[in-house]
Amino acid sequence: MSLADKVNQFDGWLLDRVFQPVVDRLPERPSGFDIGMSMQLGAVVLDAASLVAMLATGQMGFGNASWNVLTWLFAAFFYVSIQRMRPLVKPGHANPLRFMLQGLRPLSIPFAIYSLWIMMRAPPMLEMAFRFNALANIVYVVGLYFISCQPKPPAFRRTVVDWTPREARGKA
């Protein structure tokens, strides 16, 4: 078994054994996809807060600021593109995003771990900015996994008919 197979196996295990049971226990609304998209939006906002904190401390030059703004725009466009794929995710059908995001999910985990490591080693002046960044990366990973879960099938709704004895006699 190659390394790529082991990574995909771990990704499938994490998706099926950790996140899918959580989504299955959620009420009908909000769905796992809705929660995942909220987390993606939260990650974009936290990433913007990280950029603002870096600029406020004066620790970022023009080159770094332009690079970080471009990466933030990439995250925002990713959010918009996944939001536009919302009609593809239907209850009772296979989630196509599970396979579309198969390479991105396991790749995002080491970046989140690395951002945690950077946060722990940050100088005091940059600690707040790196906390926002680490939290954004963690929320991003969790949101990706929620988006990739299978939606719950529609709930079976039973209709109750209340017949009075008089109505029942008239129907016979």
Side-chain angles (χ1 to χ4, degrees), residues 49-139:
S50 172
L51 286 173
V52 168
M54 290 288 283
L55 289 171
T57 59
Q59 298 295 317
M60 191 183 312
F62 177 74
N64 286 340
S66 60
W67 172 260
N68 287 329
V69 167
L70 287 175
T71 59
W72 181 83
L73 284 173
F74 176 74
F77 287 141
F78 177 78
Y79 170 78
V80 170
S81 67
I82 294 295
Q83 187 66 30
R84 294 181 98 193
M85 291 183 197
R86 174 68 171 122
L88 298 176
V89 181
K90 298 175 185 170
H93 293 73
N95 185 353
L97 296 177
R98 179 183 174 107
F99 304 105
M100 288 181 193
L101 301 173
Q102 189 173 12
L104 186 60
R105 285 189 311 263
L107 185 63
S108 64
I109 294 171
F111 282 104
I113 293 169
Y114 181 65
S115 66
L116 281 172
W117 184 73
I118 289 174
M119 178 196 73
M120 287 188 261
R121 300 191 49 139
M125 183 179 273
L126 298 174
E127 192 173 347
M128 184 61 72
F130 287 143
R131 281 185 185 174
F132 282 134
N133 189 318
L135 187 58
N137 287 330
I138 292 168
V139 169

Coordinates of all heavy atoms in Angstrom, one line a residue, residues 49-139:
A49 N -9.4 38.7 10.0 CA -9.0 39.2 11.3 C -7.5 39.1 11.6 O -6.8 40.0 12.1 CB -9.8 38.6 12.4
S50 N -6.9 38.0 11.1 CA -5.5 37.7 11.3 C -4.7 38.8 10.4 O -3.7 39.3 10.9 CB -5.2 36.3 10.8 OG -3.8 36.1 10.7
L51 N -5.2 39.0 9.2 CA -4.5 40.0 8.4 C -4.6 41.4 9.0 O -3.6 42.2 9.0 CB -5.1 40.0 7.0 CG -4.8 38.9 6.1 CD1 -5.7 39.0 4.8 CD2 -3.4 38.9 5.7
V52 N -5.7 41.8 9.5 CA -5.9 43.1 10.1 C -5.0 43.2 11.4 O -4.4 44.2 11.6 CB -7.4 43.3 10.5 CG1 -7.6 44.5 11.4 CG2 -8.2 43.5 9.2
A53 N -4.9 42.1 12.1 CA -4.1 42.1 13.3 C -2.6 42.3 12.9 O -1.8 43.0 13.6 CB -4.3 40.9 14.2
M54 N -2.2 41.6 11.9 CA -0.8 41.8 11.4 C -0.5 43.2 10.9 O 0.5 43.7 11.2 CB -0.5 40.8 10.3 CG -0.5 39.3 10.7 SD 1.0 39.0 11.7 CE 2.2 38.9 10.4
L55 N -1.5 43.8 10.2 CA -1.3 45.1 9.7 C -1.3 46.1 10.8 O -0.6 47.1 10.8 CB -2.4 45.5 8.7 CG -2.3 44.8 7.3 CD1 -3.5 45.0 6.5 CD2 -1.0 45.2 6.6
A56 N -2.1 45.9 11.9 CA -2.2 46.8 13.0 C -1.0 46.8 13.8 O -0.6 47.9 14.4 CB -3.4 46.4 13.9
T57 N -0.3 45.7 13.9 CA 1.0 45.7 14.6 C 2.1 46.3 13.8 O 3.2 46.5 14.4 CB 1.3 44.3 15.1 OG1 1.5 43.4 13.9 CG2 0.3 43.7 16.0
G58 N 2.0 46.5 12.6 CA 3.0 47.0 11.7 C 4.1 46.0 11.4 O 5.2 46.4 11.0
Q59 N 3.8 44.7 11.5 CA 4.8 43.7 11.3 C 4.8 43.1 9.9 O 5.4 42.1 9.6 CB 4.6 42.5 12.3 CG 4.7 43.0 13.7 CD 6.1 43.4 14.1 OE1 7.1 42.7 13.6 NE2 6.3 44.5 14.8
M60 N 4.0 43.7 9.0 CA 3.9 43.2 7.7 C 4.2 44.3 6.7 O 3.6 45.4 6.7 CB 2.4 42.7 7.5 CG 2.3 41.9 6.2 SD 0.6 41.3 5.9 CE 0.0 40.7 7.4
G61 N 5.1 44.0 5.8 CA 5.5 44.9 4.7 C 4.5 44.8 3.6 O 3.6 44.0 3.6
F62 N 4.8 45.6 2.5 CA 3.9 45.6 1.4 C 3.8 44.3 0.7 O 2.8 43.8 0.3 CB 4.3 46.7 0.4 CG 3.5 46.8 -0.8 CD1 2.2 47.3 -0.8 CD2 3.9 46.3 -2.0 CE1 1.4 47.3 -1.9 CE2 3.2 46.3 -3.2 CZ 1.9 46.8 -3.1
G63 N 5.0 43.6 0.5 CA 5.0 42.4 -0.2 C 4.3 41.3 0.5 O 3.5 40.5 -0.1
N64 N 4.5 41.2 1.8 CA 3.8 40.2 2.6 C 2.3 40.5 2.7 O 1.4 39.6 2.6 CB 4.3 40.2 4.0 CG 5.6 39.5 4.1 OD1 6.0 38.7 3.2 ND2 6.4 39.7 5.2
A65 N 1.9 41.8 2.8 CA 0.5 42.2 2.8 C -0.2 41.8 1.5 O -1.3 41.3 1.5 CB 0.4 43.7 3.1
S66 N 0.5 42.1 0.4 CA -0.2 41.8 -0.9 C -0.3 40.3 -1.1 O -1.3 39.8 -1.6 CB 0.6 42.4 -2.1 OG 1.9 41.9 -2.1
W67 N 0.7 39.5 -0.7 CA 0.6 38.0 -0.7 C -0.5 37.5 0.1 O -1.3 36.7 -0.3 CB 1.9 37.4 -0.3 CG 1.9 35.9 -0.2 CD1 1.7 35.2 0.9 CD2 1.9 35.0 -1.3 NE1 1.7 33.8 0.6 CE2 1.8 33.7 -0.7 CE3 2.0 35.1 -2.7 CZ2 1.8 32.5 -1.5 CZ3 2.0 34.0 -3.4 CH2 1.9 32.7 -2.9
N68 N -0.6 38.0 1.4 CA -1.6 37.5 2.3 C -3.0 38.0 1.8 O -4.0 37.2 2.0 CB -1.4 38.0 3.7 CG -0.2 37.3 4.3 OD1 0.0 36.1 4.0 ND2 0.5 38.0 5.2
V69 N -3.2 39.1 1.2 CA -4.5 39.5 0.7 C -4.8 38.6 -0.5 O -6.0 38.2 -0.6 CB -4.4 41.0 0.3 CG1 -5.7 41.4 -0.6 CG2 -4.4 41.9 1.5
L70 N -3.9 38.3 -1.3 CA -4.2 37.3 -2.4 C -4.6 36.0 -1.9 O -5.6 35.4 -2.4 CB -3.0 37.2 -3.4 CG -2.7 38.4 -4.2 CD1 -1.4 38.2 -5.0 CD2 -3.9 38.7 -5.2
T71 N -4.0 35.5 -0.9 CA -4.4 34.2 -0.3 C -5.8 34.3 0.3 O -6.6 33.3 0.3 CB -3.4 33.6 0.7 OG1 -3.2 34.5 1.7 CG2 -2.0 33.3 0.0
W72 N -6.1 35.4 0.9 CA -7.4 35.6 1.5 C -8.4 35.7 0.4 O -9.5 35.1 0.6 CB -7.4 36.9 2.3 CG -8.8 37.1 3.0 CD1 -9.2 36.6 4.1 CD2 -9.8 37.9 2.4 NE1 -10.5 37.0 4.3 CE2 -10.9 37.8 3.3 CE3 -10.0 38.6 1.3 CZ2 -12.1 38.4 3.1 CZ3 -11.2 39.3 1.1 CH2 -12.3 39.1 2.0
L73 N -8.1 36.3 -0.7 CA -9.1 36.3 -1.8 C -9.3 34.9 -2.4 O -10.4 34.6 -2.7 CB -8.6 37.3 -2.9 CG -8.7 38.7 -2.7 CD1 -8.0 39.6 -3.8 CD2 -10.2 39.1 -2.6
F74 N -8.3 34.1 -2.4 CA -8.4 32.7 -2.8 C -9.4 32.0 -1.9 O -10.2 31.3 -2.4 CB -7.0 32.0 -2.8 CG -7.1 30.6 -3.2 CD1 -7.3 30.2 -4.5 CD2 -6.9 29.6 -2.2 CE1 -7.4 28.8 -4.8 CE2 -7.0 28.3 -2.5 CZ -7.3 27.9 -3.8
A75 N -9.2 32.2 -0.6 CA -10.1 31.5 0.3 C -11.6 32.0 0.2 O -12.5 31.2 0.2 CB -9.7 31.8 1.8
A76 N -11.7 33.3 -0.1 CA -13.1 33.9 -0.3 C -13.7 33.3 -1.6 O -14.9 33.0 -1.6 CB -13.0 35.4 -0.3
F77 N -12.9 33.2 -2.7 CA -13.4 32.6 -3.9 C -13.7 31.2 -3.8 O -14.7 30.7 -4.4 CB -12.4 32.9 -5.0 CG -12.4 34.3 -5.5 CD1 -11.1 34.9 -5.9 CD2 -13.5 35.1 -5.6 CE1 -11.1 36.2 -6.3 CE2 -13.4 36.4 -6.1 CZ -12.2 36.9 -6.4
F78 N -13.0 30.5 -2.9 CA -13.2 29.1 -2.7 C -14.6 28.9 -2.0 O -15.4 28.1 -2.3 CB -12.1 28.4 -1.8 CG -12.4 27.0 -1.4 CD1 -12.2 26.0 -2.4 CD2 -12.9 26.7 -0.2 CE1 -12.4 24.7 -2.0 CE2 -13.1 25.4 0.2 CZ -12.9 24.4 -0.8
Y79 N -14.9 29.8 -1.0 CA -16.1 29.8 -0.3 C -17.3 30.0 -1.3 O -18.3 29.3 -1.3 CB -16.2 30.8 0.8 CG -17.5 31.0 1.3 CD1 -18.1 30.2 2.3 CD2 -18.3 32.1 1.0 CE1 -19.3 30.3 2.8 CE2 -19.6 32.3 1.5 CZ -20.1 31.4 2.4 OH -21.4 31.6 2.9
V80 N -17.1 31.0 -2.2 CA -18.2 31.3 -3.2 C -18.4 30.1 -4.1 O -19.5 29.8 -4.5 CB -17.8 32.6 -3.9 CG1 -18.8 32.8 -5.1 CG2 -17.9 33.8 -3.0
S81 N -17.3 29.5 -4.6 CA -17.4 28.4 -5.5 C -18.1 27.2 -4.9 O -18.9 26.5 -5.5 CB -16.1 28.0 -6.1 OG -15.2 27.5 -5.1
I82 N -17.8 26.9 -3.6 CA -18.5 25.8 -2.9 C -19.9 26.1 -2.7 O -20.8 25.3 -2.9 CB -17.8 25.5 -1.6 CG1 -16.4 24.9 -1.9 CG2 -18.6 24.4 -0.8 CD1 -16.3 23.6 -2.6
Q83 N -20.2 27.4 -2.4 CA -21.6 27.8 -2.2 C -22.4 27.7 -3.5 O -23.6 27.3 -3.5 CB -21.7 29.3 -1.7 CG -23.0 29.8 -1.4 CD -23.6 29.1 -0.2 OE1 -22.9 28.6 0.7 NE2 -24.9 28.9 -0.1
R84 N -21.8 27.9 -4.6 CA -22.5 27.7 -5.9 C -22.7 26.3 -6.3 O -23.5 25.9 -7.1 CB -21.7 28.4 -7.0 CG -21.6 29.9 -6.8 CD -20.9 30.6 -7.9 NE -21.8 31.1 -8.9 CZ -21.5 31.5 -10.1 NH1 -20.3 31.5 -10.5 NH2 -22.5 31.9 -10.9
M85 N -21.9 25.4 -5.6 CA -22.1 23.9 -5.9 C -23.2 23.3 -4.9 O -23.5 22.1 -4.9 CB -20.8 23.2 -5.6 CG -19.8 23.4 -6.7 SD -18.4 22.4 -6.4 CE -17.2 23.3 -7.3
R86 N -23.8 24.2 -4.1 CA -24.9 23.7 -3.2 C -26.0 22.9 -3.8 O -26.4 21.9 -3.3 CB -25.5 24.9 -2.5 CG -26.6 24.6 -1.6 CD -26.2 23.8 -0.4 NE -27.2 23.7 0.6 CZ -27.6 22.5 1.1 NH1 -27.2 21.4 0.5 NH2 -28.5 22.5 2.0
P87 N -26.5 23.2 -5.0 CA -27.5 22.4 -5.6 C -27.1 21.0 -5.9 O -27.9 20.1 -6.1 CB -27.9 23.1 -6.9 CG -27.4 24.5 -6.7 CD -26.2 24.5 -5.8
L88 N -25.8 20.7 -6.0 CA -25.3 19.3 -6.3 C -25.5 18.4 -5.1 O -25.6 17.2 -5.3 CB -23.8 19.4 -6.7 CG -23.5 20.1 -7.9 CD1 -21.9 20.1 -8.1 CD2 -24.1 19.5 -9.2
V89 N -25.6 19.0 -3.9 CA -25.7 18.2 -2.7 C -27.2 18.0 -2.4 O -27.8 18.9 -1.9 CB -24.9 18.8 -1.5 CG1 -25.0 18.0 -0.3 CG2 -23.5 19.1 -1.9
K90 N -27.7 16.8 -2.6 CA -29.1 16.5 -2.4 C -29.3 15.4 -1.4 O -28.5 14.4 -1.4 CB -29.7 16.1 -3.7 CG -29.7 17.2 -4.8 CD -30.2 16.7 -6.1 CE -30.0 17.7 -7.2 NZ -30.3 17.2 -8.5
P91 N -30.2 15.5 -0.5 CA -30.5 14.4 0.4 C -30.9 13.2 -0.3 O -31.7 13.2 -1.3 CB -31.7 15.0 1.3 CG -31.6 16.4 1.1 CD -31.1 16.7 -0.2
G92 N -30.4 12.0 0.2 CA -30.7 10.8 -0.5 C -29.8 10.4 -1.6 O -30.0 9.3 -2.2
H93 N -28.9 11.3 -2.0 CA -28.0 11.1 -3.1 C -26.6 11.1 -2.6 O -26.3 11.7 -1.6 CB -28.2 12.1 -4.2 CG -29.5 12.0 -4.9 ND1 -30.7 12.4 -4.3 CD2 -29.8 11.6 -6.2 CE1 -31.7 12.2 -5.2 NE2 -31.2 11.7 -6.3
A94 N -25.6 10.6 -3.4 CA -24.2 10.7 -3.0 C -23.8 12.1 -3.1 O -24.2 12.8 -4.0 CB -23.4 9.8 -3.9
N95 N -22.9 12.5 -2.2 CA -22.4 13.9 -2.1 C -21.2 14.0 -3.1 O -20.2 13.4 -2.8 CB -22.0 14.2 -0.7 CG -21.6 15.7 -0.6 OD1 -21.4 16.4 -1.5 ND2 -21.3 16.1 0.7
P96 N -21.3 14.7 -4.2 CA -20.2 14.8 -5.1 C -19.0 15.5 -4.5 O -17.9 15.3 -5.0 CB -20.8 15.5 -6.3 CG -22.0 16.2 -5.8 CD -22.5 15.5 -4.7
L97 N -19.2 16.4 -3.5 CA -18.1 17.1 -2.9 C -17.2 16.2 -2.1 O -16.0 16.5 -1.9 CB -18.6 18.2 -2.1 CG -19.4 19.3 -2.8 CD1 -19.9 20.4 -1.8 CD2 -18.5 20.0 -3.8
R98 N -17.7 15.0 -1.7 CA -16.9 14.1 -1.0 C -15.7 13.7 -1.9 O -14.6 13.5 -1.4 CB -17.7 12.8 -0.6 CG -16.9 11.8 0.1 CD -17.8 10.6 0.4 NE -17.0 9.5 0.9 CZ -17.0 9.1 2.2 NH1 -17.8 9.7 3.0 NH2 -16.3 8.1 2.6
F99 N -15.9 13.5 -3.1 CA -14.9 13.1 -4.1 C -14.1 14.3 -4.6 O -12.9 14.2 -4.9 CB -15.5 12.2 -5.2 CG -16.2 11.0 -4.6 CD1 -17.6 11.0 -4.6 CD2 -15.5 10.0 -4.0 CE1 -18.2 9.9 -4.0 CE2 -16.1 8.9 -3.5 CZ -17.5 8.8 -3.5
M100 N -14.8 15.4 -4.9 CA -14.1 16.6 -5.4 C -13.1 17.1 -4.4 O -12.1 17.7 -4.9 CB -15.2 17.6 -5.7 CG -16.0 17.4 -6.9 SD -17.1 18.8 -7.1 CE -18.3 18.1 -8.3
L101 N -13.4 17.0 -3.1 CA -12.5 17.6 -2.1 C -11.6 16.6 -1.5 O -10.9 16.8 -0.5 CB -13.3 18.3 -1.0 CG -14.2 19.4 -1.5 CD1 -15.1 19.9 -0.3 CD2 -13.4 20.6 -2.1
Q102 N -11.5 15.4 -2.1 CA -10.7 14.3 -1.6 C -9.2 14.6 -1.4 O -8.6 14.2 -0.5 CB -10.9 13.0 -2.4 CG -10.3 11.8 -1.8 CD -10.6 10.6 -2.6 OE1 -11.1 10.7 -3.8 NE2 -10.4 9.4 -2.1
G103 N -8.6 15.4 -2.3 CA -7.2 15.8 -2.2 C -7.0 16.9 -1.2 O -5.9 17.1 -0.6
L104 N -8.0 17.8 -1.1 CA -7.8 19.0 -0.3 C -8.0 18.7 1.2 O -7.3 19.3 2.0 CB -8.9 20.0 -0.7 CG -8.8 21.4 -0.1 CD1 -7.4 22.1 -0.4 CD2 -9.9 22.3 -0.6
R105 N -8.9 17.8 1.6 CA -9.1 17.5 3.0 C -7.9 17.1 3.7 O -7.5 17.7 4.7 CB -10.2 16.5 3.2 CG -11.6 17.1 2.9 CD -12.7 16.1 3.3 NE -12.5 14.8 2.8 CZ -13.0 14.3 1.6 NH1 -13.8 15.0 1.0 NH2 -12.8 13.1 1.2
P106 N -7.2 16.0 3.2 CA -6.0 15.6 4.0 C -4.8 16.5 3.9 O -4.0 16.6 4.8 CB -5.6 14.2 3.4 CG -6.4 14.1 2.2 CD -7.5 15.1 2.2
L107 N -4.8 17.3 2.8 CA -3.7 18.3 2.7 C -3.9 19.5 3.6 O -2.9 20.1 4.1 CB -3.7 18.8 1.2 CG -2.6 19.8 0.8 CD1 -1.3 19.0 0.9 CD2 -2.8 20.3 -0.6
S108 N -5.1 19.8 4.0 CA -5.4 20.9 4.9 C -5.0 20.6 6.3 O -4.8 21.5 7.1 CB -6.8 21.4 4.8 OG -7.7 20.4 5.2
I109 N -5.0 19.4 6.7 CA -4.7 19.0 8.1 C -3.3 19.4 8.5 O -3.1 20.0 9.6 CB -5.0 17.5 8.3 CG1 -6.5 17.2 8.2 CG2 -4.5 17.0 9.7 CD1 -6.8 15.8 8.2
P110 N -2.2 19.0 7.7 CA -0.9 19.4 8.1 C -0.7 21.0 8.2 O 0.0 21.5 9.0 CB 0.0 18.9 7.0 CG -0.7 17.8 6.4 CD -2.2 18.1 6.6
F111 N -1.4 21.7 7.3 CA -1.3 23.2 7.4 C -1.9 23.7 8.7 O -1.4 24.6 9.3 CB -2.0 23.8 6.2 CG -1.2 23.8 4.9 CD1 -1.4 22.9 3.9 CD2 -0.1 24.6 4.8 CE1 -0.7 22.8 2.8 CE2 0.7 24.6 3.7 CZ 0.4 23.7 2.7
A112 N -3.0 23.1 9.1 CA -3.6 23.5 10.4 C -2.7 23.2 11.6 O -2.5 24.0 12.5 CB -5.0 22.8 10.6
I113 N -2.1 22.0 11.5 CA -1.1 21.6 12.6 C 0.1 22.6 12.6 O 0.5 23.0 13.6 CB -0.7 20.2 12.4 CG1 -1.9 19.2 12.7 CG2 0.5 19.8 13.4 CD1 -1.7 17.8 12.3
Y114 N 0.6 22.9 11.4 CA 1.7 23.8 11.3 C 1.3 25.2 11.8 O 2.1 25.9 12.5 CB 2.2 23.9 9.8 CG 3.3 24.8 9.6 CD1 4.6 24.5 10.2 CD2 3.2 25.9 8.8 CE1 5.7 25.3 9.9 CE2 4.3 26.8 8.6 CZ 5.5 26.5 9.2 OH 6.6 27.3 8.9
S115 N 0.1 25.7 11.5 CA -0.3 27.0 12.0 C -0.4 27.0 13.5 O -0.1 28.0 14.2 CB -1.6 27.4 11.4 OG -2.7 26.6 11.8
L116 N -0.8 25.8 14.1 CA -0.8 25.7 15.6 C 0.6 25.8 16.2 O 0.9 26.5 17.2 CB -1.4 24.4 16.0 CG -2.9 24.4 16.0 CD1 -3.4 22.9 16.3 CD2 -3.5 25.3 17.1
W117 N 1.5 25.2 15.5 CA 2.9 25.2 15.9 C 3.5 26.6 15.8 O 4.2 27.1 16.7 CB 3.8 24.2 15.1 CG 5.2 24.1 15.5 CD1 5.7 23.5 16.6 CD2 6.3 24.6 14.8 NE1 7.0 23.6 16.6 CE2 7.5 24.3 15.5 CE3 6.5 25.4 13.6 CZ2 8.7 24.7 15.2 CZ3 7.7 25.7 13.2 CH2 8.8 25.4 14.0
I118 N 3.2 27.3 14.7 CA 3.6 28.7 14.6 C 3.0 29.6 15.7 O 3.7 30.4 16.2 CB 3.3 29.2 13.2 CG1 4.2 28.6 12.1 CG2 3.4 30.7 13.1 CD1 3.8 28.9 10.7
M119 N 1.8 29.4 16.0 CA 1.1 30.1 17.0 C 1.8 30.0 18.4 O 1.9 30.9 19.1 CB -0.4 29.7 17.1 CG -1.2 30.5 18.2 SD -2.7 29.7 18.6 CE -2.1 28.2 19.5
M120 N 2.2 28.7 18.7 CA 2.8 28.5 20.0 C 4.2 29.1 20.1 O 4.7 29.4 21.2 CB 2.9 27.0 20.2 CG 1.6 26.4 20.6 SD 1.7 24.7 21.1 CE 1.3 23.8 19.6
R121 N 4.8 29.3 18.9 CA 6.2 29.9 18.9 C 6.2 31.4 18.6 O 7.3 31.9 18.4 CB 7.0 29.1 17.9 CG 7.1 27.6 18.3 CD 8.1 27.0 17.5 NE 9.4 27.8 17.6 CZ 10.6 27.3 17.7 NH1 10.7 26.0 17.7 NH2 11.6 28.1 17.7
A122 N 5.1 32.0 18.5 CA 5.0 33.4 18.1 C 5.5 34.3 19.1 O 5.3 34.1 20.3 CB 3.5 33.7 17.7
P123 N 6.1 35.4 18.7 CA 6.5 36.4 19.6 C 5.3 37.1 20.2 O 4.2 37.1 19.6 CB 7.4 37.4 18.8 CG 7.1 37.1 17.4 CD 6.6 35.7 17.3
P124 N 5.4 37.7 21.4 CA 4.2 38.2 22.0 C 3.4 39.3 21.2 O 2.2 39.3 21.2 CB 4.7 38.9 23.3 CG 6.0 38.2 23.6 CD 6.5 37.8 22.2
M125 N 4.1 40.0 20.4 CA 3.5 41.1 19.6 C 2.6 40.5 18.5 O 1.6 41.0 18.1 CB 4.5 42.0 18.9 CG 4.0 43.1 18.1 SD 5.2 44.1 17.4 CE 5.5 45.3 18.8
L126 N 3.0 39.3 18.0 CA 2.2 38.7 16.9 C 1.3 37.5 17.4 O 0.7 36.9 16.5 CB 3.2 38.1 15.9 CG 4.1 39.1 15.2 CD1 5.1 38.5 14.3 CD2 3.2 40.1 14.4
E127 N 1.2 37.3 18.6 CA 0.5 36.2 19.2 C -1.0 36.2 18.8 O -1.6 35.2 18.4 CB 0.6 36.1 20.7 CG 0.2 34.8 21.3 CD 0.5 34.7 22.7 OE1 1.3 35.5 23.3 OE2 -0.1 33.9 23.4
M128 N -1.6 37.3 18.9 CA -3.0 37.5 18.5 C -3.3 37.2 17.1 O -4.2 36.5 16.7 CB -3.6 38.9 18.9 CG -5.1 39.0 18.7 SD -6.1 37.9 19.7 CE -5.8 38.6 21.3
A129 N -2.5 37.7 16.2 CA -2.6 37.4 14.8 C -2.5 36.0 14.4 O -3.3 35.4 13.7 CB -1.6 38.3 14.0
F130 N -1.5 35.3 15.1 CA -1.3 33.9 14.8 C -2.4 33.0 15.4 O -2.7 31.9 15.0 CB 0.1 33.5 15.2 CG 1.2 34.0 14.3 CD1 2.4 34.4 14.8 CD2 1.0 34.0 13.0 CE1 3.4 34.8 14.0 CE2 2.0 34.5 12.1 CZ 3.2 34.9 12.7
R131 N -3.0 33.5 16.5 CA -4.1 32.8 17.1 C -5.3 32.8 16.1 O -6.0 31.8 15.9 CB -4.6 33.4 18.4 CG -3.7 33.0 19.5 CD -4.2 33.5 20.8 NE -3.3 33.2 21.9 CZ -3.5 33.7 23.1 NH1 -4.5 34.5 23.4 NH2 -2.6 33.4 24.1
F132 N -5.6 34.0 15.5 CA -6.7 34.1 14.5 C -6.4 33.1 13.4 O -7.3 32.5 12.9 CB -6.8 35.5 14.0 CG -7.6 36.4 15.0 CD1 -7.1 37.7 15.3 CD2 -8.8 36.0 15.6 CE1 -7.8 38.5 16.1 CE2 -9.5 36.8 16.4 CZ -9.0 38.1 16.7
N133 N -5.1 33.1 12.9 CA -4.7 32.3 11.8 C -4.9 30.8 12.1 O -5.5 30.1 11.3 CB -3.3 32.6 11.4 CG -2.9 31.9 10.1 OD1 -3.3 30.8 9.8 ND2 -2.2 32.7 9.2
A134 N -4.4 30.4 13.2 CA -4.5 29.0 13.6 C -6.0 28.6 13.8 O -6.4 27.5 13.3 CB -3.8 28.7 14.9
L135 N -6.8 29.4 14.4 CA -8.2 29.1 14.5 C -8.9 29.1 13.2 O -9.8 28.2 12.9 CB -8.9 30.1 15.4 CG -10.3 29.9 15.8 CD1 -10.5 28.5 16.6 CD2 -10.8 31.0 16.7
A136 N -8.5 29.9 12.3 CA -9.1 29.9 10.9 C -8.8 28.6 10.2 O -9.7 28.0 9.6 CB -8.6 31.1 10.1
N137 N -7.6 28.2 10.3 CA -7.2 26.9 9.7 C -7.9 25.7 10.3 O -8.3 24.8 9.6 CB -5.7 26.7 9.7 CG -5.0 27.6 8.8 OD1 -5.5 28.0 7.8 ND2 -3.8 28.0 9.2
I138 N -8.1 25.7 11.6 CA -8.8 24.6 12.2 C -10.3 24.6 11.8 O -10.8 23.5 11.5 CB -8.6 24.6 13.7 CG1 -7.2 24.3 14.1 CG2 -9.6 23.6 14.4 CD1 -6.8 24.6 15.5
V139 N -10.9 25.7 11.8 CA -12.3 25.9 11.4 C -12.5 25.5 10.0 O -13.4 24.8 9.6 CB -12.8 27.3 11.7 CG1 -14.2 27.5 11.1 CG2 -12.9 27.5 13.2

